[in-house]
Each structure stands twice: as C-alpha cells, then as structure tokens.
Amino acid sequence: MTKSVKIALGALIAAVILCCGALLLPRKSGTVARITHNGVVIHEIDLEKEHTQRYLEIVAGDGTVLNCISVEPGRIRVEHANCPDQVCVNQGWIRDSALPIVCLPNKLMIEIIGGGEAADAITT
Amino acid sequence: MPSPHNSPVRRLTRAALLTAIALTIFMAEAQIPPPIPIPGVKLGLANIITVYAMYILGPGDTLMILVSRIFLGSVFSGQMMTLLYSLGGGLCCFAAMLVLRRLLDENHLWLASPLSAVFHNLGQILVAAAVMHTWVVISYLPYLVLSGICSGLFTGLCAQMLIRHLNKI
C-alpha cells in the first residue's frame, strides 16, 4: 500500500465513523412542528395540543396545491405531493427531530423543534 | 496530422457514446423505486461511466459527458429542480476526482469512487441549504454520506472491472 492509498482509506473510514457518530447523537424531543415554505415559516403547530386529525394545504402563488400535510396528535406527515418522486410522502410520519421532512421540488420543509409553548399557528 | 487514435472525430464520438450509455443507465435507474425514502439517496449507477471516463479519457471529456448527462437526464425525467442538486453534487464530485486521480491509480478506483461520492453529497447538501434557505438540511448529511459510500464502492468496483476487461480488447 502506498502512502496516498493509506491516507485515502483513512479519510474514508473517518467519514464513516463521523457519520455513524452523528446518527447516534441524542435526539431532541419536542412537540412543535415548524413548516417552512420557500424559506419562510408558514405554520408552527404544537402537536401535543392537537386533538383530531386535520389537513393543511400548501398552495403556490398561482393556486396549485403543492403539498397536503396531515396533522395528528403527536405526529405529522405529508399526505399528498404534486411532484413525481413522492419522497416526502414515502417518508411517512415524523415525531422527533431526527430527520425533518424535506420536499426539494416544492421547497417545503417540516421539522420538529424543541419546546412546547410555541404560538399555536403563525399564518402569513 | 492527428493520429487516428486521437482525432477530434474519434474523441467526440467516444464522448457521445459514453453520454448515451450514461443517460440510458440513468433513465433505467430512475424507474427503480427509491430504496430508502430520503431525498438524494440513490444508486447513481451512471457514475460508473463518469469514473471510467475520468481515468481513461481525462478531465475535459469527463466534464462534457457529466454535464450533458445531468442536463439531459433532468429534461427526460421532467424534474428541472433536480438539475440544481445534481449539478451541485456532480461538480463537487468532479473537483474531488480531479485531485484523487493524481493520488490513486486505476487499481484503486474502489477507493477513489466512494471518496468522490462523499463530495457529491456535500455539494448536494450545500445546494439544498442554499435553495431552502436553511442549514437544517445538514441533518441529512450522515444518511447521504453513508449511502453514498456504499454506492460509491459499488460503482468504483464496476468501473475498475470495466477498465480491466476493456484493456484486454
């Protein structure tokens, strides 16, 4: 093994260890879901205070429905998306801060943030 | 007079052929449902061609093949938004490969390819962070890098075998 092969192999193993470490980090428990569209926060919902299932629609400037978000007590997911890849729909329900739902084509993001006393719904 | 092995026509034909092969692989792969529902996670089999071209044809031709494949792939799959992410990732990966091809010979493609894949993921995340105006997307990086290393190992091994067998011809 030459020196550069050793360095490359070391860098690769370091990357794997770093990533595994990042995945094992403690997850923030929180109940407030923040929905961001085009970089603007459009809703902040405390999932603990939800009692029934309800739907939120994300509508583009020209009136097309981009995503339909389903909110339930303690969890949130994307129900429908108008994009072809449907990655955000397949991700299913989220209930902690581990991995936010991101819809790249529609620039939509749903993340669970800490704290339980957010404003019930900020709507712009 | 350019020799018949290096004439511009031969070079262009070879680049066009490889672009067509890469595009075919890309479109066939797009029909496979994503294995994990995380945006950006995919096999990236078309990068076998990128890695092969980088080591056999050199950086100039590789850049042409890579950019044409990404552009045509986005047009054919009908998702122009993915053009940005693929281009960001692809160019980062290309820059990493420029350095790696000087450090690692063609018997170590299995090592060069996953390392370039990591840079591909970094590029994707940077573009995503810029488009979404948030750094939260960084939490996707560990997933992307781990899956990128796995698929990078696979595409690197494929490219290495490809070179070994094509050298016999």
Side-chain angles (χ1 to χ4, degrees):
Chain A
M1 267 211 274
T2 60
K3 199 179 168 196
S4 51
V5 173
K6 277 182 193 162
I7 294 173
L9 199 58
L12 196 63
I13 292 169
V16 172
I17 292 172
L18 273 178
C19 287
C20 291
L23 290 182
L24 292 175
L25 282 179
R27 295 170 178 192
K28 266 186 289 177
S29 64
T31 57
V32 178
R34 177 187 282 166
I35 303 171
T36 317
H37 182 227
N38 275 334
V40 182
V41 177
I42 50 170
H43 291 288
E44 248 176 43
I45 306 160
D46 193 336
L47 297 175
E48 291 281 275
K49 290 180 185 156
E50 294 293 318
H51 299 296
T52 50
Q53 190 182 29
R54 65 186 176 108
Y55 297 101
L56 292 170
E57 283 184 342
I58 308 298
V59 184
D62 62 353
T64 37
V65 178
L66 299 174
N67 297 73
C68 177
I69 297 166
S70 168
V71 183
E72 270 187 19
R75 57 183 195 169
I76 187 165
R77 77 159 178 180
V78 178
E79 189 88 22
H80 299 292
N82 70 341
C83 59
D85 60 348
Q86 301 290 311
V87 169
C88 55
V89 178
N90 292 333
Q91 195 174 337
W93 299 101
I94 59 166
R95 48 182 84 240
D96 58 28
S97 68
L99 201 59
I101 297 177
V102 176
C103 176
L104 291 177
N106 294 342
K107 299 182 193 172
L108 176 82
M109 186 172 70
I110 307 170
E111 55 181 315
I112 307 279
I113 53 172
E117 65 282 336
D120 210 349
I122 303 169
T123 312
T124 47
Chain B
M1 271 298 280
S3 75
H5 281 282
N6 264 324
S7 72
V9 177
R10 189 188 166 89
R11 199 174 148 217
L12 187 63
T13 315
R14 200 165 46 180
L17 184 67
L18 284 173
T19 307
I21 297 173
L23 197 57
T24 311
I25 297 174
F26 179 83
M27 291 312 291
E29 194 197 314
Q31 307 307 314
I32 307 171
I36 314 166
I38 293 174
V41 169
K42 58 184 292 191
L43 275 165
L45 293 176
N47 287 321
I48 297 173
I49 301 298
T50 320
V51 177
Y52 170 82
M54 197 64 176
Y55 273 78
I56 299 298
L57 305 184
D61 289 11
T62 309
L63 191 60
M64 278 201 308
I65 294 170
L66 183 65
V67 173
S68 324
R69 192 259 295 167
I70 290 173
F71 180 70
L72 291 173
S74 306
V75 172
F76 288 171
S77 62
Q79 285 178 273
M80 288 314 279
M81 267 310 283
T82 58
L83 179 68
L84 273 179
Y85 303 106
S86 308
L87 215 51
L91 292 180
C92 256
C93 176
F94 178 79
M97 267 202 291
L98 271 182
V99 180
L100 284 171
R101 74 191 279 268
R102 297 190 175 279
L103 296 175
L104 301 168
D105 61 20
E106 52 187 61
N107 290 322
H108 292 97
L109 282 185
W110 61 272
L111 197 50
S113 173
L115 277 173
S116 326
V118 173
F119 282 91
H120 188 285
N121 297 138
L122 279 175
Q124 273 178 315
I125 288 289
L126 287 180
V127 172
V131 170
M132 313 277 288
H133 303 287
T134 172
W135 286 106
V136 177
V137 286
I138 274 276
S139 53
Y140 276 92
L141 193 59
Y143 297 90
L144 285 186
V145 168
L146 285 179
S147 80
I149 286 175
C150 295
S151 55
L153 272 174
F154 182 70
T155 50
L157 276 173
C158 287
Q160 198 169 327
M161 285 178 198
L162 189 67
I163 290 175
R164 193 181 299 158
H165 288 288
L166 284 181
N167 278 346
K168 288 183 198 157
I169 302 170

